[in-house]
Amino acid sequence: MHPLLDHFGRPLRNLRLSVTDRCNLRCSYCMPEADYVWLPKSDVLTFEEIDRLVSVFTALGVDKVRLTGGEPLLRADLPELIALLAQRPLRDLAMTTNGVLLTQHAAALRSAGLHRLTVSLDTLDPATFALLTRRDDHARVLAGIEAARAAGFGELKLDTVVIAGVNDHELVPLVEFGARIGAEVRFIEYMDVGGATRWRLDRVVSRQQMLQRLAQHFGPIRELPRTDAAPAERFALPDGGTFGIIASVTQPFCATCDRARLTADGMWFLCLYAERGTDLRRLLRAGASDADLAGALAAAWRQRQERGAEVRAGLRERTPLAAADRLRQQPHLEMHTRGG
Ligand code: SAM
Ligand code: SF4
């Protein structure tokens, strides 16, 4: 099959599927506000609708799907959706979670057919966790990570958003923690996405600064060759340990970006920063055939010119993408709606 290419020759391979916009944490870089405008429940796609869309996406070349949110484990009966998606011809079926509810669900996720798990873990310190998330759930996250390992998720990844003055002193302990439990840590530069209304450039710890600090402690760091279009660059430490960095702010990877995002209510966005998306729920519920859906997806992808992170990096003065009142009017701009 010829890959479906966008305007810049980037294939459609990767779908991030948000299953809910709700969350049980309030991370300061994602959901800092006091209250939120949620997607209406009746707009949220059913598992059958999601599975049908995924079948059309896979026919067009998508072979990697990642479930996300909001917090995906807040969606009731999620293993049922995973069991449906596990029947699709996917090279990779993964999920990103904050880990709070993992102890309850890890085993069911595994037996439903989920391939891989990424748990967000920004700190090893319960007090910093409480400050960052406005919730007191650090111990539950650590227990969740243990439960994921016990359930057999071998290729565990830990995602850490690094913020100057908050958790940037924890780079070394986090790498050591990852090594101890057999998980790879990926440090993410703090992004100026929708939801990050308190973002400031001087809060971003750059890829270069992270590498410097880690090299000071561990010794010379070697860059590992890239294997696919994944955003994380991977590095090896002198002792053989590895870690990743996602440098979306200082080194955007738009040139190879093969991913699109579907919100829980069926809006399809071609970029994390895109202002407008395609309303797939409307098409689905108006009785579109698979061929109609495939036609709409293919037409949108062929015209795709988005390279949002590069455009942001080119701005002379960088401020948060959107202020809180605009996010309330356009909740689809929110990171917790778009799925990160
Ligand atoms: N609730 C789940 C979780 O936190 O893992 C999944 C959804 S969350 C939106 C997906 C990822 O986006 C998380 O790893 C989170 O740390 C990351 N994220 C959210 N806001 C971010 C920001 N402003 N900069 C960088 N990463 C961010
Ligand atoms: Fe934090 Fe994820 Fe919830 Fe955003 S969606 S507030 S990153 S746990």
Side-chain angles (χ1 to χ4, degrees), residues 29-30 68-71 96-98 120 161 188-189 191 193 196 335:
Y29 49 73
C30 181
T68 174
E71 173 46 40
T96 302
T97 168
N98 62 30
S120 298
V161 179
I188 306 175
E189 287 180 354
M191 289 188 274
V193 287
M335 183 75 151

Side-chain angles (χ1 to χ4, degrees), residues 10-30:
R10 300 170 294 186
L12 171 60
R13 291 236 172 86
N14 203 316
L15 183 66
R16 295 184 70 104
L17 203 63
S18 173
V19 292
T20 179
D21 58 329
R22 318 265 164 151
C23 193
N24 44 4
L25 298 183
R26 289 291 181 273
C27 303
S28 64
Y29 49 73
C30 181

Side-chain angles (χ1 to χ4, degrees), residues 142-220:
L142 294 185
I145 292 172
E146 264 312 305
R149 291 174 66 220
F153 287 104
E155 240 192 273
L156 205 60
K157 293 215 165 72
L158 302 176
D159 274 5
T160 303
V161 179
V162 184
I163 303 184
V166 176
N167 62 348
D168 55 333
H169 58 289
E170 291 195 67
L171 300 183
V172 169
L174 281 162
V175 168
E176 288 172 344
F177 175 78
R180 223 168 30 245
I181 66 161
E184 187 169 280
V185 181
R186 301 184 319 169
F187 296 113
I188 306 175
E189 287 180 354
Y190 180 18
M191 289 188 274
D192 56 344
V193 287
T197 50
R198 296 178 191 167
W199 184 91
R200 288 198 334 236
L201 192 54
D202 63 3
R203 284 293 176 90
V204 176
V205 181
S206 70
R207 164 191 185 277
Q208 199 189 356
Q209 290 168 323
M210 294 189 218
L211 287 174
Q212 262 168 10
R213 288 185 206 178
L214 289 164
Q216 260 166 23
H217 180 86
F218 290 110

